[in-house]
Amino acid sequence: MQDANICLPLASSLVQAINNLSLNALKMLETLWSSLPEPSLTKQVQMFKIALVLSVFSNKKESSKHTLEVLKRLYKANMKAGYKVPINYFCVPEVSNVIIIPVDLKNWRIYQTQTEANGTILPEMYCRYPFILTFATKIQYLHFDAIEKMNKEKIQANQVLMMNRLQGSSDNPRIPILHLKLRHQHLVEDALKKLSMVEDCDLQKELQVEFHGESTTDPLANMAEFFLLVAEKMVQPDYGLFTCTDPLLPVWFPSHPLADKKLYYLYGIMCGLAIFNQTVIYLPFPLALFKKLLGKKVTLEDLKELQPTMGRSMQSLLDTENEKDVERLDLYFTLSWENQTVQLIPNGATERVTHLNKHNYVNKCVEYIFNTSVADTFEEFRKGLYKVCDKDILLFFQPEELMSLAAGHVNYDWTLFEKTTIYSGKYSPTHPTIIKFWNVFHQLPMEKKKAFLYFITGNDKIPVFRLQHLCMKISSFGVPSESYLPEANTCSQILLLPEYSSSGVLRRKLLLALENNRGFEKN
């Protein structure tokens, strides 16, 4: 049944038989699948993936629908088994690449309002099975849905305008654009004030940002600058929304926030607008943020990312096999967090941590840090984000994918970064200064390269869409002598690079610039 030449007729009969089982029999089958060793479970998945590809390309729609249902059951069984088979192994790129996304999305929207119980024969809908979709395909679903909603607003406004004209009315329809006119000097205050007054129905319109006293020659650059500056300001610990114990560690929600809860709601709207308008935003949060948005469970691994020292100590506790060694630690069901001692259970200060309950203790700590202590503020953030974004479509993504989508990814290709760079003024790929620059850049350690990326773009991650966001420009226009540091225009991703006499001087000046300059906010 692994043979593509004979798999389809055998698999078609098998998937039909599986889907016709009673509920109890299906539960038993899924339990058996969960108990399989990883190689055997992988073979099962592979067999039905082959059958799905053959069904799709043979245009056997009923077989495709049945096979998708069996793959869904296998996916759930694998999930219950603790993901013995990696999630991405369920992806079927051959099918993802041939889906007609507008049609599939339309069918899915219809499906959401009715079921097979009313006698309607439903077509296959691949987005009901997001585990088979590639990351790029999921992004296309998200973006097509957003564009469709934006266009719908424009069409409705045009229809109202035409109707008013025919009826002799001078009334204008609601503007089909979310227009934010802001002052650079008061960007955050203006943005929050305007977003607090925006009606819900306006949030899914095309976003346009205008700055007072400035011409709008590049709307995309204005929008990128808006998200860059506002997001960076709002995540700084001194702004009061989030906390961070170390600049190199992620930020998180405080357990006792000083800021008004409404600010978390508005920050969620900001993040939602960035996703909806296909713009990455600076989000220095741990993966736990995206797990919680998708309803996934946070674990000790997430604590290791947020607070590595605490995470390692708890892992050490779990790894301790000797019961007496655990007792010597003299731990109780309390947690010291943000300068306060919290009881993790009733009378936790008198409940000793033992070898038998240490897993429960660690789970309680993780639960408090990521859920209990931030329940109200995180819920406000979540509500704001989902006020803009379609939750059903975001649930297509895995947490790692959503993190890459919103904040960019870390799959750096520095050779591509060099190849896509554009030069202006006297500079070209063969100019001596440019040759020196790339020689110096490629020799920098990873952290310095990431710092340079942040210096140029306002984010140390790579956007997963709009490839022009990767396109750095190096210019000699208006650049002073080599006694000056390189400068960056972050919204346009322009590096103003003086002609340095040697690679040593260039390296020293570049590193100094990374330490002291921040794009728009230069010291």
Side-chain angles (χ1 to χ4, degrees), residues 61 66 78 89 132 142 166 230 234 260 270 335 350 390 432:
K61 295 184 178 181
H66 289 310
N78 181 60
Y89 189 74
I132 73 161
L142 179 70
L166 290 172
V230 174
M234 293 185 75
D260 191 300
M270 284 279 303
L335 173 67
T350 60
D390 189 315

Side-chain angles (χ1 to χ4, degrees), residues 102-120:
V103 174
D104 199 58
L105 195 56
K106 181 180 179 181
N107 288 337
W108 181 58
R109 292 300 191 197
I110 295 172
Y111 166 78
Q112 289 179 308
T113 62
Q114 63 185 35
T115 66
E116 291 178 284
N118 62 17
T120 305

Side-chain angles (χ1 to χ4, degrees), residues 225-265:
E225 180 180 352
F226 164 67
F227 284 118
L228 165 69
L229 296 180
V230 174
E232 184 180 34
K233 175 70 174 178
M234 293 185 75
V235 298
Q236 296 302 318
D238 59 6
Y239 188 76
L241 278 184
F242 305 104
T243 60
C244 184
T245 57
D246 188 310
L248 298 178
L249 294 177
V251 301
W252 192 240
F253 297 76
S255 55
H256 297 88
L258 300 177
D260 191 300
K261 279 203 306 185
K262 186 179 180 181
L263 283 178
Y264 293 94
Y265 174 76

Side-chain angles (χ1 to χ4, degrees), residues 85-247:
V85 178
I87 290 175
N88 58 12
Y89 189 74
F90 282 82
C91 179
V92 189
E94 300 91 337
V95 173
S96 284
N97 294 335
V98 299
I99 297 171
I100 303 174
I101 290 174
V103 174
D104 199 58
L105 195 56
K106 181 180 179 181
N107 288 337
W108 181 58
R109 292 300 191 197
I110 295 172
Y111 166 78
Q112 289 179 308
T113 62
Q114 63 185 35
T115 66
E116 291 178 284
N118 62 17
T120 305
I121 299 175
L122 297 171
E124 72 269 29
M125 285 164 281
Y126 297 106
C127 61
R128 285 184 62 202
Y129 312 91
F131 52 84
I132 73 161
L133 304 176
T134 63
F135 182 31
T137 303
K138 295 175 188 178
I139 292 174
Q140 289 174 27
Y141 275 101
L142 179 70
H143 290 173
F144 182 85
D145 184 65
I147 291 169
E148 190 175 46
K149 288 172 179 173
M150 293 178 190
N151 288 339
K152 183 180 178 181
E153 292 289 341
K154 294 177 183 177
I155 291 170
Q156 287 178 346
N158 189 55
Q159 289 173 340
V160 171
L161 181 63
M162 293 294 291
M163 185 62 67
N164 288 347
R165 293 295 179 266
L166 290 172
Q167 295 175 351
S169 171
S170 60
D171 292 342
N172 289 320
R174 292 177 64 89
I175 299 175
I177 289 171
L178 175 56
H179 182 250
L180 300 180
K181 190 170 184 178
L182 312 167
R183 297 170 296 172
H184 253 130
Q185 298 82 358
H186 305 279
L187 196 55
V188 177
E189 296 89 337
D190 284 3
L192 295 178
K193 182 179 179 181
K194 287 184 179 294
L195 289 177
S196 66
M197 296 187 294
V198 168
E199 294 186 32
D200 293 351
C201 61
D202 293 330
L203 292 172
Q204 294 186 333
K205 296 177 179 178
E206 180 183 342
L207 176 64
Q208 285 189 3
V209 177
E210 180 185 352
F211 297 114
H212 275 283
E214 301 180 25
S215 59
T216 307
T217 56
D218 188 346
L220 287 180
N222 274 15
M223 186 165 63
E225 180 180 352
F226 164 67
F227 284 118
L228 165 69
L229 296 180
V230 174
E232 184 180 34
K233 175 70 174 178
M234 293 185 75
V235 298
Q236 296 302 318
D238 59 6
Y239 188 76
L241 278 184
F242 305 104
T243 60
C244 184
T245 57
D246 188 310

